[in-house]
Amino acid sequence: MQEVKRVSVREIIAERKSKKKLFGLFKLSRGKSVWENVIAVGLFACSVFTILVTLGIIITLFSETINFFSRPEVNLWDFLTGTNWRPLSSNPSPENFGVRPLIRGTLMIAFISGAVALPIGLGSAIYLSEYASEEVRKVLKPALEVLAGIPTVVYGYFAISFITPLLQRVLEDGLGIDVSFFNALSASVVVGVMIIPMVASISEDAMRAVPSSLREGAYALGATKFEVATKVVVPAALSGIIAAFILAISRAIGETMAVMIAAGATPRMTLNPLESVQTMTSFIVQVSFGDAPSGSINGQAIYAVGATLFVITFLMNIISDIVLRRFREVYE
Amino acid sequence: MSADQNSNNHDIVFTTKQLSVYYGRQLAIRDIDLSIQRHKITAIIGPSGCGKSTLLRSFNRMNELIPTARVEGQVYYNEKNIYAEGIDPVSIRRHIGMVFQKPNPFPKSIYDNVAFGARINKYQGDMDELVERSLRQAALWDEVKDKLKDSGLALSGGQQQRLCIARALATEPDVILMDEPASALDPIATLRIEELMEELKRNYTIIVVTHNMQQASRVSDMTAFLSIDRNDLEARIGILVEYGATQRMFIKPEMQETEDYITGRFG
Ligand SMILES: Nc1ncnc2c1ncn2[C@@H]1O[C@H](COP(=O)(O)OP(=O)(O)OP(=O)(O)O)[C@@H](O)[C@H]1O
Ligand SMILES: [Mg+2]
């Protein structure tokens, strides 16, 4: 679920904020007015609340995950390495609880949607920042942001009512390649379209923040507009562009609704995007909708999958932090 | 007579004819007629806002990067009108380097900064050699030769400005335009830039905008004095008041206005 992804981001932000406010609190309590102290304490309470909620979620997540793994029917090693995910099988056993098909489905969709969104998003950002006139930009940028506000369910139905039939017509009827009605490619394309605005908008902000004196310097050396954009502006804005990419990919990993609708719910260890796959988030939703009783093996499996997703997005956050710091060192 | 004419033409790099520049409907400079001599340093002086930068930027067609700017009249570069139809400003800028008021090195390594122009020009020769030569010409080599991979932004302001000069030199230009190249620098760094200009004069033609009268008199051979047209102060239109050899301009200007400005009695 998207909730799971947000937790990791929020937790980091909340932690940072709380540190600042703690110090602020101590500073303010020395000789400042009572009112100031009240404000500081109130803000402090807000941040404590955020942390407590976050901690609560994490504790629930992991304690249920521990419960799951302490069952005799499953074990951690087979969970992480197994290639069969059959949680509903009548014979619950470790070989039916391998999470890798779900991870693979998730990563396949993230990868293909990234391949769709990154070039198009970066291209739009370059156009908006470097080529578009002020009037065109004033219309296009808000339009792009409206695109980001469309509910994801709509994207899902767009996938099965437009993209999937199109793929079937072109690939199946035209080239004789089998295309399942539920398939990962269709889902990836709409998720890709869904995250284009994010890539474009954040990259464009980063590119517009590049001082125009750098552009002038490049023009004065005889650079063309395209050279200025690709050899000066994009490299100078690289840390922001990478941040946009990582945020967009995290969003693709966490995306649930559109993926469930378009890619179906067949956990499968495949690299063929024309088949149905299941992602981690769509498994969680599938089981939640099926009223799995708490304490049942499936009720607990969703926590184990959720925790896996949490760890993956958490690692991505850390990697992005490292990447950003690296590029900042080089470019600033 | 015709031989004389030829040698004359050979000594002239730029000639502007009735050059006017507008920003939107506002006329910024009007009817400038000016000839720039080869291998000389020409200083452009004048009060703030009179259009010095505007004039300088018309020599390499930088004004057209400003959407509202419009140029009228002609600028002949080696007897070719660079504003004629079909002339690509990119090809003009490859022969005419420019150094800006605020140092603006790219956020790249020192080496990549210098190599930038040569790379986009598809330079065929030895890049290492070109980078070293340009940095030497810009009197920066000894300070940076051991850290060519470091960011250009890690240098001091004066070093950054010399890096920008090296960057311009690496495209092997014919002319270098400088817009108050030392105004952001301390007196020592300024002196180094001035010495450098003296050096570069042998191989390049330099046009420099400056607010500093001493600097103009120290380094330049020719001086152009621009000012706001006194007949129409409201409109704030820049015109060329006087142009001549620097020595004469500073000792015995023809116009009262020039004398007032040079001696600090302007305004
Ligand atoms: N991008 C622009 N858009 C509109 N007007 C401009 C622009 N650049 C310059 N101007 C106007 O043109 C006139 C000349 O400006 P310019 O920058 O050429 O003067 P300058 O002599 O270089 O001044 P300074 O000594 O302060 O640098 C000024 O009145 C200025 O307001
Ligand atoms: Mg100026």
Side-chain angles (χ1 to χ4, degrees):
Chain A
M1 265 187 285
Q2 269 193 331
E3 255 40 64
V4 179
K5 183 202 93 201
R6 285 207 197 110
V7 167
S8 65
V9 176
R10 268 201 201 136
E11 189 217 332
I12 293 173
I13 294 168
E15 238 168 47
R16 282 189 192 148
K17 277 186 186 155
S18 71
K19 266 181 210 151
K20 273 186 206 144
K21 275 164 196 161
L22 258 173
F23 288 120
L25 183 71
F26 290 132
K27 249 185 241 158
L28 285 171
S29 56
R30 271 189 257 117
K32 289 254 169 124
S33 78
V34 178
W35 184 233
E36 293 263 300
N37 276 337
V38 170
I39 293 174
V41 171
L43 293 174
F44 179 65
C46 290
S47 60
V48 168
F49 176 75
T50 318
I51 294 176
L52 288 183
V53 170
T54 312
L55 276 181
I57 294 172
I58 294 174
I59 289 168
T60 318
L61 190 61
F62 282 97
S63 66
E64 287 289 328
T65 304
I66 290 166
N67 288 342
F68 173 74
F69 285 116
S70 45
R71 279 172 171 272
E73 306 98 308
V74 294
N75 68 58
L76 181 61
W77 177 253
D78 286 317
F79 179 79
L80 291 177
T81 59
T83 56
N84 288 308
W85 185 255
R86 296 191 213 96
L88 303 173
S89 104
S90 52
N91 160 37
S93 66
E95 65 264 24
N96 285 333
F97 280 97
V99 80
R100 281 180 56 198
L102 298 184
I103 295 182
R104 182 172 288 200
T106 306
L107 292 186
M108 181 156 77
I109 288 185
F111 187 81
I112 302 175
S113 58
V116 171
L118 303 192
I120 297 177
L122 185 59
S124 336
I126 292 177
Y127 173 74
L128 282 175
S129 155
E130 304 301 308
Y131 285 83
S133 69
E134 204 44 45
E135 295 84 53
V136 173
R137 220 184 71 83
K138 265 192 207 132
V139 178
L140 277 188
K141 186 103 197 268
L144 206 64
E145 270 148 19
V146 166
L147 207 63
I150 297 174
T152 61
V153 178
V154 177
Y155 280 101
Y157 279 99
F158 176 70
I160 53 171
S161 61
F162 181 75
I163 308 236
T164 304
L166 186 72
L167 288 175
Q168 285 179 327
R169 205 170 318 132
V170 173
L171 294 178
E172 204 160 71
D173 305 348
L175 301 169
I177 304 166
D178 276 347
V179 179
S180 320
F181 180 69
F182 293 114
N183 67 76
L185 183 58
S186 178
S188 305
V189 169
V190 285
V191 173
V193 171
M194 197 186 297
I195 60 178
I196 286 173
M198 192 177 228
V199 176
S201 181
I202 302 176
S203 303
E204 197 244 8
D205 287 344
M207 287 168 60
R208 278 172 72 85
V210 173
S212 61
S213 64
L214 293 186
R215 294 185 181 85
E216 288 210 322
Y219 278 120
L221 291 168
T224 61
K225 194 162 203 155
F226 185 68
E227 286 164 340
V228 172
T230 54
K231 299 204 161 93
V232 175
V233 180
V234 168
L238 202 57
S239 65
I241 293 171
I242 289 174
F245 285 3
I246 289 169
L247 278 173
I249 294 294
S250 306
R251 166 97 201 270
I253 287 178
E255 176 47 39
T256 314
M257 238 21 240
V259 173
M260 262 191 95
I261 294 168
T266 319
R268 192 180 268 140
M269 203 57 187
T270 181
L271 285 174
N272 179 3
L274 300 175
E275 292 179 319
S276 170
V277 297
Q278 189 169 43
T279 63
M280 290 184 271
T281 55
S282 42
F283 167 73
I284 293 171
V285 171
Q286 184 197 21
V287 173
S288 312
F289 284 175
D291 292 328
S294 67
S296 76
I297 188 156
N298 274 310
Q300 288 172 341
I302 62 176
Y303 286 97
V305 172
T308 311
L309 185 56
F310 176 90
V311 170
I312 291 176
T313 45
F314 192 76
L315 285 179
M316 272 192 68
N317 280 328
I318 290 173
I319 292 169
S320 78
D321 244 31
I322 293 169
V323 170
L324 285 185
R325 207 166 302 138
R326 236 232 158 73
F327 278 105
R328 237 171 244 143
E329 266 167 22
V330 177
Y331 282 103
E332 274 163 31
Chain B
M1 158 89 198
S2 87
D4 207 59
Q5 190 96 44
N6 276 341
S7 80
N8 241 339
N9 287 343
H10 185 73
D11 292 337
I12 302 293
V13 182
F14 282 112
T15 306
T16 70
K17 293 223 164 95
Q18 304 278 301
L19 176 70
S20 301
V21 180
Y22 294 80
Y23 292 108
R25 308 185 62 190
Q26 166 72 38
L27 184 56
I29 51 175
R30 188 181 64 208
D31 292 344
I32 308 265
D33 290 298
L34 191 65
S35 290
I36 305 290
Q37 298 180 22
R38 195 179 300 279
H39 297 313
K40 294 264 164 68
I41 299 178
T42 303
I44 301 175
I45 61 170
S48 191
C50 69
K52 302 180 295 298
S53 301
T54 304
L55 173 61
L56 192 73
R57 292 161 62 94
S58 7
F59 290 122
N60 62 344
R61 293 188 57 172
M62 286 293 276
N63 279 327
E64 56 210 72
L65 298 179
I66 299 162
T68 58
R70 185 163 55 85
V71 176
E72 277 178 8
Q74 297 96 43
V75 176
Y76 293 91
Y77 167 60
N78 291 338
E79 303 185 346
K80 204 171 68 195
N81 181 11
I82 59 172
Y83 285 92
E85 231 169 276
I87 299 231
D88 184 2
V90 168
S91 69
I92 298 295
R93 294 184 198 126
R94 289 186 176 177
H95 296 110
I96 301 166
M98 190 167 209
V99 177
F100 297 82
Q101 175 168 6
K102 245 186 85 213
N104 57 351
F106 302 126
K108 301 176 187 291
S109 71
I110 292 170
Y111 186 100
D112 287 344
N113 260 284
V114 180
F116 185 91
R119 282 190 182 135
I120 59 175
N121 285 324
K122 312 237 159 33
Y123 180 70
Q124 295 297 323
D126 181 349
M127 191 65 81
D128 291 351
E129 193 266 331
L130 176 73
V131 169
E132 174 170 348
R133 173 156 42 95
S134 308
L135 284 167
R136 276 188 196 283
Q137 277 186 303
L140 187 60
W141 174 252
D142 290 330
E143 289 155 71
V144 301
K145 61 172 182 255
D146 299 322
K147 48 177 186 178
L148 293 174
K149 291 228 152 55
D150 289 11
S151 169
L153 296 177
L155 299 173
S156 75
Q159 289 174 324
Q160 286 188 9
Q161 194 62 303
R162 276 178 284 146
L163 177 61
C164 291
I165 293 173
R167 182 174 78 179
L169 295 176
T171 62
E172 305 185 311
D174 184 23
V175 185
I176 302 170
L177 309 175
M178 298 181 162
D179 196 346
E180 304 186 48
S183 71
L185 307 180
D186 69 28
I188 292 170
T190 302
L191 211 62
R192 295 209 63 166
I193 300 282
E194 287 178 15
E195 285 167 8
L196 185 56
M197 289 165 69
E198 208 59 57
E199 274 292 314
L200 295 174
K201 194 169 108 172
R202 279 192 255 144
N203 300 312
Y204 305 92
T205 304
I206 297 175
I207 309 177
V208 57
V209 170
T210 178
H211 265 128
N212 181 328
M213 288 310 108
Q214 274 104 42
Q215 184 171 70
S217 66
R218 270 197 306 262
V219 302
S220 73
D221 304 296
M222 301 293 289
T223 297
F225 173 56
L226 261 60
S227 192
I228 306 289
D229 185 359
R230 287 199 163 174
N231 300 321
D232 191 0
L233 279 176
E234 282 294 287
R236 295 194 59 83
I237 299 166
I239 54 164
L240 180 64
V241 176
E242 190 170 350
Y243 177 51
T246 300
Q247 276 204 324
R248 183 194 58 71
M249 287 271 285
F250 277 80
I251 293 165
K252 200 174 174 309
E254 274 167 20
M255 309 292 286
Q256 185 60 40
E257 202 181 341
T258 313
E259 186 172 341
D260 289 350
Y261 182 74
I262 289 170
T263 55
R265 264 180 284 143
F266 184 84

